[in-house]
Structures are given as structure tokens and as C-alpha cells.
Amino acid sequence: MQQEIRFATFNVCNLAPAGAKLYDNLEPLSPAQYDAKAEWTARQIDLLDADVIGFQEIFSQAALRDVLSRTRHYRAATLAGHDAMDAAGRMLPTVALVSRLPLAGAGVAWTNFPAGVSVSADDTTCRFARAPLHVQVYLPGGQLTDVVVVHLKSRRPDYRHGDGYDAASYALANLRSLQRRGAEAVALRVLASELGHSSRPRIVLGDFNDIANAVTTAIVMGAGAPCEPGMEMRERLYDANAIALRQDAARHAGYTNIHDSAYMTIDHILVSEHFHPASPRAIGVLQEVTYLNDHLLLGLPHASDHGQVLARIKLLGNID
């Protein structure tokens, strides 16, 4: 039986076919630019060499299939995901999952918030901007595991029509973005908690657009939430980087994004207690989390603006 399983998350940065218009302020890729991006993305996927990869900013499943066809190790992998368009027929970003492990089904997009969750009292929006994707994966040995790929609301200020560009307008626009991301975090927490009732292992991974210690990320993890005595570990999700056995502070440079010269880790892999070394119910133990981020300093026009996160899990019975 396979002794190690590897999970990764990869925000590819606007993967779409050549000529596709995505945003008003973004020119479509030329055929040559698309080819360079597809080749770089394929090489990066092979470098990760993960069993399961969650993707963000996929505007076209066909483009992702083309990228996989350029890889060495994922041409036969299974792709789960869907395309989305706005009312004008323009492509919208979605998430996707690629697996070399068998899947129990095609996956389900969580479009709507669970009942009772909304952005604010005066805002009845009850939908994810980018629907999380829930896919059930069979681990080596047959253990069914729930994997959820996410992409929460960005930090980009949410200006409304007629807003000015003074300090107050900017602050309120940032607050609206935070409210949206916070509501999505609450909705994700409720849905992930419902999955936990099955007692199956859970992995939630993707672009959270906030650091691990942020309130929104902590909401998803359930950090500090009240629960029945003895159920603390069962209810929570854990930052894979924080619980990994192999920690090397001297070489650790775990950032996945650079914004205004600030180095931040906003892409995360969260796991249930089934992969925590302190859990008596663990089926595997997180050995190490690594970050593929050298390209962020090179300024490659065809590369992603995010680093990738890779978690290595040793299945129990085969721990070093």
C-alpha cells in the first residue's frame, strides 16, 4: 500500500484560453502568452507531484485539461470542477480538483450559504462568490476522505457606485470585503462542520485570502469554539503547517503571496484530527509542509502570483 499521500493547493492566476476577456482592466492572453503560461503551470504541477491538488482561478476546465496534457505525471489524473459565466456570458473564476487517487463521485459545488448565514443584516446575499468544491477521495487502503477546495473573497476594496476615493470611502470598501470574506468563512465553517458528523477525515485547502492567524481563517478552523468535553479535537480543523512534525525554522520561508512588499501566507491546507500527531484517532501524520514560491521573486510574466503549498502525510504504520 502507498505509504505517503501528498496534498497541494495551487492558485494558478487567471487560467483561461487565449483571447478570452476576463476583466476590463486585463488584456486577454495571446496564443504565445497562453502557451508559456500553460507550460509553466504544467511544470509546476509535476514539481509538486501531489496525489491531490486543489486549484483556484480556473476560468476554463478545458484550459486546465490542456495543462494536464502537458504534464508528465497527470495525463491520466481525474479532474473535478465546473465552468461558470456571468449574465453577459463572460467567464468567471472557479475552483477545481485534480486527483491521482480514485474519487467517489464528480464533486459538488457549494453555491449557497447554509440557512441563517448572510453577509450582514442589511445584505441578503447568501451565496459564495466562488463556490467551494466538495469531492470525496479514496485514500490508499480505501478510507473515504472529504476534500474541499476553496477561494474566499479577496482583500480588494469593494467600492460601490458613487464612492469617492477619500480615506473613509477606502476604509468602508475594505470593510465590505472583510464582511464578505467573514460571511464566507462562517458558511464554510458550518458546511465543513456538517461533514465532520460523518467522522470521515476532512481536508480543506485553497486560497483563504488571509493569514492563518486571521479571524476569518480561525473561524473556518473552529479555533476556540465551545464543544462537549473530550470533543475538542474532533470538532476542529488544523493548519497543516502548524502541526507538521518536521519544523525547520532556519530554512522555513512559508509565504505564498507578496503584496505591497509584504510577504504573506494566504494559501493554506487545513486538516481534521485524523492527520494530527496528537490525536488517538489519527490515520496518518503530517510530516512536512513545503512552499514552492521562488518564482514570486523572479517576476515571470507567465507564472502565478501565488506560491503553492504542499503537505506530505505519512499513513500510520509507516511513520519515520
Side-chain angles (χ1 to χ4, degrees), residues 150-173:
V150 305
H151 188 182
L152 299 187
K153 174 69 177 73
S154 74
R155 293 187 176 199
R156 185 178 297 109
D158 182 9
Y159 284 104
R160 299 295 168 87
H161 182 69
D163 281 353
Y165 289 93
D166 56 289
S169 295
Y170 177 72
L172 287 170

Side-chain angles (χ1 to χ4, degrees), residues 21-24 59 83-94 127 129:
K21 184 65 174 177
L22 306 181
Y23 300 111
D24 292 337
F59 283 81
D83 288 329
M85 291 188 177
D86 63 15
R90 182 175 290 186
M91 295 176 173
L92 294 174
T94 65
R127 295 167 61 92

